[in-house]
């Protein structure tokens, strides 16, 4: 199993770079950042610095979207980083949440997302692609490689990930929901004539190592609020009891009263006060190192290839170090 570190690009950017360097020293192989231009600093500028100050870390956004930047700009950015540092990027992408909603726009459609995945990959790898009716090619790309991993929750999005993406990002660590969603992605891949086992499965969630479970929950409760934004969209689209989405995912947002993005991804987010303890426990990895190892082994058995640690709490360095000392060695073949 691979491990990634997920950070927000809060200033100073040097602190983000330092944490990524620490992660690489501790055995993490991927470095991810949020991509939300109003709430945080521009990630790709910081990605360049991370790549320059690490030796093998693969970096990317968790996640970008097709609307904040034009597709040829996104592709050119990745291709430039790859030319400079040797194909060490991955494009995490989804319909968009905070990056678009904070700017007064709605998430993109799945049809647009599916088209963007192919175009961004083709351009970044040096092939022709059509953007807004015009055939484009980046003539300077040589031997470029850009895997595109798609974030998804709902049945149509999961099917799109299976048909089109190189990897699937699931932003929660509940084994029951992981099994359900991985099966949906791989079934769609097989139906499309693809090798379902060739799709990389990445589970991303907060991790907090320690014996004080109550404190860990309060440090990570924000995550249930963040996931709730996507769940609310699913409920609006499919209904709360449609059978198309597991109620193990949808039931907990019944008491949700809206969301204030000024606290997005932050410990103490008041918009996450509706999130019950059992959701925090299910969606996150909490407790002593042994509890993390046990849950990660269960996720690995379900086909998870990477666990990406959301490190947004009061123990960033300690979590990275605990994973490097005890957890990553226990999950590394």
């Amino acid at each position: 199993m691979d491990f990634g570190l997920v950070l927000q690009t809060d200033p100073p950017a040097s602190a983000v770079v330092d944490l990524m360097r620490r992660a690489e020293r501790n055995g993490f192989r991927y470095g991810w950042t949020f991509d939300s231009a109003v709430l945080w600093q521009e990630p790709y500028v910081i990605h360049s610095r991370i790549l320059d100050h690490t030796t093998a870390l693969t970096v990317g956004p968790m996640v970008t979207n097709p609307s904040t930047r034009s597709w040829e700009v996104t592709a050119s950015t990745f291709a430039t980083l790859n030319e400079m540092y040797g194909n060490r990027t991955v494009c995490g992408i989804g319909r968009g949440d905070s990056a678009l909603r904070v700017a007064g726009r709605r998430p993109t459609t799945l049809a647009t997302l599916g088209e963007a995945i192919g175009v961004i990959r083709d351009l970044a790898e040096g092939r022709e692609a059509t953007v807004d009716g015009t055939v484009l090619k980046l003539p300077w790309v040589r031997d470029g490689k850009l895997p595109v991993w798609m974030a998804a929750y709902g049945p149509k999005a999961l099917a799109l990930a299976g048909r089109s993406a190189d990897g699937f990002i699931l932003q929660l660590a509940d084994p029951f929901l992981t099994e359900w969603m991985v099966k949906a992605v791989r079934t769609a891949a097989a139906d499309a004539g693809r090798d379902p086992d060739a799709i990389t499965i990445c589970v991303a969630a907060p991790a907090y190592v320690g014996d004080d479970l109550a404190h860990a929950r309060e440090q990570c409760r924000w995550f249930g609020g963040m996931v709730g934004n996507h769940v609310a969209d699913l409920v609006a689209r499919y209904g709360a009891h449609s059978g198309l989405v597991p109620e193990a995912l949808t039931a907990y947002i019944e008491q949700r009263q809206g969301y204030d993005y000024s606290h997005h991804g932050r410990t103490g987010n008041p918009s996450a006060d509706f999130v019950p303890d059992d959701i925090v426990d299910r969606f996150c990895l909490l407790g002593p190192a042994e509890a993390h190892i046990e849950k990660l082994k269960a996720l690995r058995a379900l086909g998870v290839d990477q666990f990406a640690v959301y490190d947004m709490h009061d123990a960033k360095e300690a979590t990275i170090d605990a994973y490097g000392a005890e957890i990553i060695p226990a999950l590394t073949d």
Side-chain angles (χ1 to χ4, degrees), residues 246-332:
E247 292 194 29
L249 175 62
T250 61
Y252 86 98
I253 70 160
E254 184 177 350
Q255 303 301 318
R256 182 177 181 269
Q257 299 294 323
Y259 192 83
D260 180 356
Y261 279 92
S262 67
H263 306 285
H264 190 56
R266 306 286 190 190
T267 296
N269 183 350
S271 296
D273 58 358
F274 70 94
V275 180
D277 287 351
D278 72 293
I279 288 293
V280 184
D281 293 346
R282 283 171 45 205
F283 285 11
C284 305
L285 274 77
L286 311 175
E290 294 78 12
H292 292 241
I293 292 168
E294 180 181 4
K295 191 168 187 178
L296 287 167
K297 285 183 175 180
L299 291 170
R300 184 174 64 177
L302 296 174
V304 174
D305 300 297
Q306 179 183 153
F307 176 60
V309 175
Y310 275 97
D311 204 21
M312 296 89 170
H313 46 57
D314 65 0
K316 294 181 178 68
E317 292 85 355
T319 297
I320 294 169
D321 294 346
Y323 263 72
E326 301 180 72
I327 297 167
I328 292 177
L331 275 294
T332 302

Side-chain angles (χ1 to χ4, degrees), residues 5-10 32-34 40 62 205-208 216 218-223 226 264-268 309-316 319:
L5 183 72
V6 190
L7 299 173
Q8 296 161 338
T9 51
D10 287 314
W32 303 92
T33 69
F34 281 27
W40 295 286
M62 188 174 281
Y208 198 104
E218 292 313 310
Q219 289 293 306
C220 299
R221 196 175 303 276
W222 62 266
F223 183 68
M226 186 182 83
H264 190 56
R266 306 286 190 190
T267 296
V309 175
Y310 275 97
D311 204 21
M312 296 89 170
H313 46 57
D314 65 0
K316 294 181 178 68
T319 297

